[in-house]
Amino acid sequence: RRKPTRQSFGRGSLANQRAEHRFLIFRDADSWMEYQRLYGGGGDAFASMMGHLNMMAKDIAAMEVLGPNPDGTAEWLKQAVTKEAENRAAGKPSRFAGNPETALDRAASTVRKLDSLWGSLRGTLETPVNSRFAGWFAGARNLITSSVLGSAMISSVSDLGTSAIARHFVGISKRGTFTDIAKAAMPSTRQEAVSAGLILDSAMHVFHAQARYVGTLDGPGWSSYLADRILTYSGLTPWTQAARHGFGLAFMHEAARQAGKEFDKLPKLFRETFRRYGINARDWDLMRKMPLHEIGSGTMLLRPQEIDERVNPKLAEKYLEMVQSETEYAIPSGSHRSKIELLDQNQPGTFIGEVLRSFAQFKSFGTVFLLLHGRRIHGMFAGGAKLGGVAYAGSLLFSTTLLGGMALQMKQVAQGRDPQDMTDGAFWGAALLQGGGLGIYGDFFFSNVNRYGGSFATTFGGPLMGRANDLWNLTAGNILQLASGEKTHFGRELTKSLRSNPPGSTIWYTRLAWERIVMDQLQFLADPEANKAFKARQKFYMREFGQDFWWMPGEMRPRRGPDFGAAVGR
């Protein structure tokens, strides 16, 4: 009923918004379901309740830090930065450091980044400008996710390296990294982790659908559900959850082990971790007097919920914040900072916003990895701990490269090929990128095309560009070849498209059988020169990567087992 006026219209301060009571009483369950279908995110009552709790938690957190009107405080911050930069440029006293000539430009960049970060935190950065346009592209990206990331579980073996580094940094023993993850995968341990407050990821699918290596799974519900299920069945989601729970439980177990010591007697690294999060000697004395919780076999935990809030209402929160923040270093997943580095302020539903999201697909993990650990290493150097920074960087580089090499070899065997020769220096360059989440770019150490036959340009442009290029070659490309009298390979290109695009086709434990028993036999029917194409593929891998196949393309069963001696140049 509003009439257009010249006055801007807003929702007021966040505190006032949440003070208004809203109760909608529905006639029956069917009416609620219909309302959800038209205006909500689906017909799941539990998801609606959890989504409301999530938004309330975000709003409360924003008001605790930024006051009753967080948007107003964010605006004040931007204006304060600009004012200080103007003073710096004019030669007046200012808290804005650096070159006065570039102060205004740097302030504008800072303000823009603050805007983007705040928009990502509040969710406005993910609000579509054109929901239908955004839905098409999001659905396409979800389908690509379901067809490409079936083997991402193998890549996640590098988590063992980052977990060990993160454990050592906070003062936890590196021994038992893998066994802790294995234990955390058990239902009973998972329940203990959830009851200890390590619950965020477990309920993430009803808060705001997220996926590791992907970011937000938005768009049509069926496509995001499909992508989520494939990531679960491939083992990536359970592994990630277990690894995060394993680190959190190990931290709480170490706190329980050290509970008999005074703060100054704690191991140095463990004590410094507490200090970084504002937990001092007095806080530790309160914490260690609390009852410990046993999770079986004599394993004790110092959990946040045992800390008496009447003594210190914020202490349990700080403790849990410390555990969850350090978990992100152990198992890099996603962050608002990495999102804005890739997307800036471009919302979905705009042309540039969708282009950038398609470009950024599968690049989020590498960005998060560099931002998290790069910032920590920089902080150590800036704080004067240069030797510590060198040791941290060296350990991180060594462990992720070694485990990245292991992941590379596991992928080769899973795809029917012998391991690559590790005496070749190019292998370790590829392993370095694999450990940092950019494994596909390691292919260009050996060849001018990637493992799927794509060029560097289409690889860098993102999987959506690669799929568009394949579709063009399959349709218009073949028509143009036919019109000009050139030989077409429609059958071969059709089976190539069917080989890698169906959801779930790249799940690591079924992929090879799917390709050899189903798709290779289909290629024999659709492509008269299928046998020649299979031979050419074998020659390509031998020429570019020095690899032979242990299960030959086109054959229904393997001739032999993998030759592991090939890994050492034999």
Side-chain angles (χ1 to χ4, degrees):
R1 293 191 298 272
R2 282 187 56 80
K3 294 180 180 179
T5 66
R6 295 179 184 271
Q7 186 175 355
S8 62
F9 174 68
R11 290 179 294 177
S13 72
L14 187 59
N16 290 338
Q17 291 174 43
R18 288 303 188 188
E20 297 168 2
H21 295 277
R22 297 175 180 84
F23 290 97
L24 299 178
I25 309 300
F26 290 88
R27 182 172 58 249
D28 50 36
D30 290 337
S31 301
W32 183 86
M33 296 283 282
E34 179 65 12
Y35 181 85
Q36 281 293 305
R37 188 185 67 80
L38 292 172
Y39 306 112
D44 188 339
F46 180 72
S48 296
M49 291 187 288
M50 292 300 102
H52 174 69
L53 288 175
N54 182 45
M55 284 306 302
M56 287 292 289
K58 283 186 174 183
D59 288 352
I60 291 168
M63 289 189 286
E64 282 183 343
V65 176
L66 299 174
N69 188 0
D71 286 332
T73 306
E75 184 61 35
W76 181 90
L77 286 168
K78 291 186 290 182
Q79 292 180 24
V81 168
T82 304
K83 181 63 177 176
E84 292 293 331
E86 288 172 349
N87 289 341
R88 181 69 175 166
K92 299 177 182 178
S94 172
R95 287 172 289 183
F96 203 88
N99 188 347
E101 296 179 1
T102 61
L104 291 176
D105 289 339
R106 287 184 291 117
S109 175
T110 301
V111 166
R112 184 175 181 85
K113 187 168 286 189
L114 195 153
D115 250 341
S116 303
L117 186 59
W118 183 239
S120 180
L121 284 163
R122 299 300 298 158
T124 56
L125 192 63
E126 292 300 326
T127 303
V129 174
N130 183 317
S131 57
R132 180 172 293 184
F133 186 58
W136 290 339
F137 276 91
R141 288 193 295 272
N142 289 338
L143 287 175
I144 290 173
T145 294
S146 65
S147 65
V148 169
L149 289 190
S151 298
M153 162 64 196
I154 297 176
S155 300
S156 292
V157 71
S158 62
D159 290 344
L160 293 171
T162 52
S163 290
I165 298 295
R167 286 165 74 111
H168 176 73
F169 187 81
V170 300
I172 305 174
S173 172
K174 292 182 285 188
R175 289 179 299 177
T177 301
F178 179 75
T179 54
D180 283 347
I181 295 175
K183 289 177 183 176
M186 301 299 174
S188 58
T189 312
R190 187 164 62 243
Q191 290 172 9
E192 290 289 354
V194 169
S195 67
L198 307 175
I199 190 174
L200 181 63
D201 292 345
S202 297
M204 187 63 83
H205 67 285
V206 294
F207 283 164
H208 188 199
Q210 294 278 332
R212 195 174 179 199
Y213 298 121
V214 180
T216 305
L217 287 174
D218 49 8
W222 65 268
S223 67
S224 59
Y225 178 80
L226 180 63
D228 177 76
R229 290 298 86 198
I230 295 300
L231 294 177
T232 299
Y233 296 144
S234 71
L236 176 63
T237 300
W239 166 269
T240 301
Q241 185 68 81
R244 295 176 72 85
H245 280 174
F247 181 87
L249 291 173
F251 198 112
M252 294 181 188
H253 174 57
E254 183 64 21
R257 263 192 357 108
Q258 301 293 342
K261 299 178 182 178
E262 295 179 359
F263 192 72
D264 291 339
K265 300 291 176 55
L266 291 174
K268 182 182 177 182
L269 293 175
F270 199 62
R271 184 175 66 246
E272 290 303 316
T273 301
F274 277 78
R275 279 185 175 149
R276 281 199 304 275
Y277 290 90
I279 298 176
N280 55 31
R282 184 172 176 273
D283 295 331
W284 173 248
D285 283 339
L286 291 174
M287 290 172 63
R288 69 196 190 97
K289 292 174 183 175
M290 297 297 133
L292 302 178
H293 175 76
E294 184 178 355
I295 62 172
S297 303
T299 303
M300 309 301 291
L301 300 180
L302 176 55
R303 304 189 306 177
Q305 58 264 53
E306 266 79 53
I307 299 173
D308 193 342
E309 291 191 359
R310 292 171 297 180
V311 179
N312 188 331
K314 287 291 183 182
L315 184 54
E317 190 176 316
K318 279 199 283 190
Y319 179 42
L320 185 57
E321 177 196 355
M322 175 174 62
V323 174
Q324 291 190 336
S325 296
E326 292 300 328
T327 299
E328 198 60 38
Y329 287 92
I331 315 294
S333 182
S335 74
H336 294 284
R337 288 182 184 274
S338 65
K339 184 189 294 185
I340 66 170
E341 289 294 337
L342 293 169
L343 301 179
D344 194 35
Q345 293 183 359
N346 296 287
Q347 294 174 251
T350 64
F351 177 75
I352 188 64
E354 295 304 334
V355 168
L356 284 174
R357 276 166 173 75
S358 300
F359 159 78
Q361 192 172 14
F362 308 148
K363 296 182 177 70
S364 62
F365 177 80
T367 308
V368 170
F369 186 91
L370 289 172
L371 282 174
L372 278 175
H373 292 285
R375 184 173 57 188
R376 173 160 280 179
I377 293 167
H378 174 266
M380 295 171 77
F381 274 94
K386 291 184 172 59
L387 287 178
V390 170
Y392 187 97
S395 300
L396 187 68
L397 190 68
F398 176 78
S399 62
T400 54
T401 300
L402 192 65
L403 290 163
M406 183 188 296
L408 271 180
Q409 299 292 42
M410 291 166 67
K411 284 185 176 183
Q412 304 306 317
V413 174
Q415 292 174 26
R417 298 188 290 272
D418 292 328
Q420 285 183 247
D421 182 4
M422 295 191 297
T423 63
D424 184 354
F427 172 84
W428 293 107
L432 173 65
L433 292 177
Q434 177 68 50
L438 299 171
I440 193 169
Y441 295 97
D443 292 352
F444 296 105
F445 279 100
F446 303 92
S447 176
N448 59 356
V449 294
N450 66 25
R451 65 199 68 168
Y452 306 111
S455 66
F456 181 83
T458 54
T459 304
F460 187 72
L464 192 59
M465 178 183 286
R467 292 301 190 277
N469 184 63
D470 291 344
L471 183 61
W472 171 267
N473 291 335
L474 182 63
T475 54
N478 275 293
I479 293 172
L480 291 173
Q481 286 177 329
L482 189 64
S484 60
E486 296 179 34
K487 190 174 184 179
T488 66
H489 298 284
F490 178 77
R492 185 182 307 172
E493 291 170 6
L494 178 62
T495 52
K496 179 185 175 184
S497 178
L498 292 174
R499 189 183 297 271
S500 57
N501 284 320
S505 59
T506 58
I507 292 180
W508 58 276
Y509 51 83
T510 59
R511 176 178 184 169
L512 188 56
W514 161 260
E515 290 192 351
R516 295 292 182 268
I517 299 173
V518 179
M519 297 313 304
D520 286 358
Q521 308 315 309
L522 182 61
Q523 187 167 340
F524 275 123
L525 297 175
D527 179 12
E529 297 182 346
N531 195 53
K532 183 179 178 181
F534 293 145
K535 297 291 184 185
R537 194 192 310 176
Q538 293 175 48
K539 290 179 180 178
F540 168 79
Y541 275 98
M542 179 57 72
R543 181 181 67 251
E544 302 291 346
F545 298 91
Q547 287 177 280
D548 201 358
F549 283 81
W550 62 270
W551 190 344
M552 299 292 182
E555 297 188 357
M556 290 284 286
R557 53 188 169 187
R559 296 183 182 181
R560 57 177 176 84
D563 178 13
F564 293 105
V568 290
R570 194 173 68 207

